[in-house]
Amino acid sequence: MDQNNAVSPLWGTVLAVQANFYRVKLGAEGQRGRGAEGQRGRGAEENFPVPSPQSLVPSPELLCTRRARLKKIGQQVMVGDRVQVEEPDWAGGRGAIAQVLPRDTELDRPPIANADQIILVFALAEPDLEPFQLSRFLVKAESTNLDVSLCLNKSDLVSLAEQKAWRDRLSAWGYEPIFISVYDGSGLDELTAKLSDKITVLAGPSGVGKTSLINYLIPGIEQRVGEVSGKLSKGRHTTRHVELFELPKGGYLADTPGFNQPDLDCSPEELSEYFPEIRERLAENNCQFSDCLHRDEPNCAVRGDWERYEHYLEFLSIAIARQEHLNQQSDPDAVMKMKTKRKGGNQFEPRLEAKKYRRTSRKTQQQKLLELYEDTDI
């Protein structure tokens, strides 16, 4: 067969996963990869195949299944994966995923591969911006090791003086927020430039305008928008699953199901790495002890008068309690166990012996009676 007439492989990006089906966007975007230095762009074509002009396909998207061999080797397919598609059925819009290219990044919650950055979206009003909640989201975002940016929506509802106060406050935290308003369009050009040619994860609490923002950035998508609950001043969840949306000027936007409080699943030792203020202090001075947790240790370079220090201490207590809980689960000889009570409170209780206080099952009782009967001489 003539090499020029050979069928070129089809490559694409997984936009959505539902049940056992994968919606794949075909084209050059599927080939985005990092070079030897780990950066996207130049050198990518040396790592991953790039389709020739002859490989252009008549349909931009296919609904695909996963090859059985991928399932046998335990290869999962995630939103954002770059995949090879075989046996396309152009009339039916179907195909089969035969290969998953190596991932540059991988998030478990939300499950997204090859993301470049996280943009946290919060509202300045309706609902009001809560510093502690914002701090928790920032720590969780920093733990992903992706670039983190902060976008403050509904700027039209607050004065310029309030905006400046928040800008100065968040600058001390180590962040330079982008002030936007979906209502009047202010600040959206700056945000659009930041999204260009990247896979961006949008995250934040419900009701801050993420869905409205996506509808603005991607005309015609028309996601369902929910109203803010008047009773709790919280947003109602409108996003149901993770999905990538293609931006008009290049790149993808991942909207994630709204949640009010992200989990803090880092270790106590890792927590300090997710505060820019702590990183800045440790770059200038060192603590006396290498395992310093920055609480009451002597000669600590971090402890001091900075706004989020109280947030750090509260998050640290959560991380320590979680670590102790994990240690007890792996230690069968532990005499205490931690139980989660109402409203998220934790309480330690005595651990009962596994078999001493356990009722014997009926099956075991019947087996013992049968053995006793067989051993009895009549």
Side-chain angles (χ1 to χ4, degrees):
M1 180 181 296
D2 187 357
Q3 185 176 2
N4 293 331
N5 295 329
V7 178
S8 300
L10 298 175
W11 300 92
T13 300
V14 178
L15 300 185
V17 178
Q18 292 183 346
N20 294 322
F21 294 93
Y22 309 88
R23 187 155 55 85
V24 178
K25 171 74 174 183
L26 300 176
E29 283 294 326
Q31 283 61 246
R32 294 196 325 146
R34 287 192 171 97
E37 296 78 18
Q39 298 296 327
R40 295 192 185 276
R42 180 175 297 178
E45 57 274 10
E46 298 175 4
N47 291 327
F48 303 123
V50 177
S52 62
Q54 291 81 6
S55 67
L56 296 178
V57 295
S59 176
E61 292 185 11
L62 291 177
L63 186 63
C64 300
T65 57
R66 179 178 52 159
R67 285 293 193 195
R69 63 175 177 267
L70 294 181
K71 184 176 182 180
K72 288 180 180 179
I73 65 175
Q75 175 64 65
Q76 298 294 323
V77 180
M78 302 173 61
V79 170
D81 269 330
R82 298 182 292 270
V83 297
Q84 180 184 3
V85 178
E86 293 181 343
E87 299 183 4
D89 175 10
W90 302 118
R94 298 299 182 97
I97 295 176
Q99 180 184 355
V100 179
L101 296 180
R103 294 165 181 154
D104 299 323
T105 61
E106 180 178 340
L107 304 181
D108 56 349
R109 294 188 62 186
I112 299 177
N114 302 312
D116 297 292
Q117 61 181 348
I118 292 180
I119 292 184
L120 295 180
V121 181
F122 273 72
L124 289 166
E126 296 182 8
D128 293 336
L129 181 55
E130 299 176 0
F132 183 80
Q133 184 188 44
L134 173 59
S135 186
R136 185 165 185 144
F137 270 88
L138 287 169
V139 169
K140 179 62 177 179
E142 291 280 357
S143 70
T144 65
N145 294 321
L146 300 178
D147 293 335
V148 179
S149 298
L150 182 57
C151 179
L152 300 182
N153 192 19
K154 305 183 182 181
S155 60
D156 58 291
L157 299 180
V158 300
S159 64
L160 293 177
E162 290 178 276
Q163 292 185 36
K164 184 180 184 305
W166 274 112
R167 186 184 299 277
D168 295 341
R169 185 176 183 179
L170 295 173
S171 178
W173 290 18
Y175 300 95
E176 298 299 329
I178 302 174
F179 291 88
I180 69 167
S181 171
V182 178
Y183 178 77
D184 61 20
S186 61
L188 292 176
D189 288 341
E190 180 182 359
L191 178 61
T192 301
K194 197 172 187 64
L195 301 175
S196 179
D197 295 325
K198 295 181 179 179
I199 295 182
T200 303
V201 177
L202 279 187
S206 298
V208 298
K210 295 195 305 296
T211 302
S212 298
L213 177 60
I214 291 178
N215 290 339
Y216 188 98
L217 293 172
I218 310 175
I221 193 171
E222 293 302 326
Q223 280 200 306
R224 186 166 56 89
V225 179
E227 297 179 352
V228 175
S229 169
K231 182 177 180 181
L232 299 176
S233 294
K234 301 292 184 181
R236 297 188 176 95
H237 303 308
T238 55
T239 306
R240 301 301 181 185
H241 59 274
V242 180
E243 184 173 358
L244 290 185
F245 301 103
E246 189 173 11
L247 294 166
K249 296 184 179 180
Y252 290 102
L253 202 60
D255 190 15
T256 59
F259 53 95
N260 292 324
Q261 288 291 349
D263 295 330
L264 296 179
D265 51 6
C266 61
S267 68
E269 294 77 16
E270 296 172 337
L271 180 62
S272 61
E273 301 174 8
Y274 308 140
F275 283 80
E277 308 97 307
I278 296 181
R279 296 199 298 263
E280 182 180 354
R281 282 166 170 76
L282 291 179
E284 298 175 354
N285 298 289
N286 294 323
C287 296
Q288 180 177 347
F289 301 101
S290 60
D291 59 349
C292 181
L293 292 180
H294 318 301
R295 291 183 297 181
D296 49 8
E297 296 88 346
N299 299 323
C300 174
V302 171
R303 189 174 62 248
D305 185 19
W306 49 284
E307 182 182 0
R308 288 207 298 167
Y309 182 60
E310 293 301 322
H311 296 177
Y312 168 77
L313 292 179
E314 186 157 348
F315 297 155
L316 181 63
S317 65
I318 295 174
I320 292 175
R322 174 182 174 275
Q323 189 67 50
E324 291 176 348
H325 178 55
L326 294 176
N327 292 340
Q328 289 176 359
Q329 284 184 329
S330 60
D331 182 9
D333 297 327
V335 297
M336 300 292 288
K337 66 178 181 180
M338 184 173 64
K339 294 192 67 176
T340 302
K341 299 295 185 179
R342 293 182 177 179
K343 298 182 180 180
N346 297 324
Q347 177 178 330
F348 286 96
E349 294 183 355
R351 182 191 297 273
L352 300 180
E353 295 184 25
K355 297 182 179 179
K356 184 176 180 180
Y357 298 96
R358 191 171 183 177
R359 178 182 296 178
T360 305
S361 66
R362 291 184 180 181
K363 182 177 180 180
T364 302
Q365 292 176 353
Q366 292 174 356
Q367 289 176 343
K368 289 183 177 180
L369 288 175
L370 181 60
E371 293 173 357
L372 180 62
Y373 175 77
E374 292 176 348
D375 294 339
T376 302
D377 295 330
I378 300 179

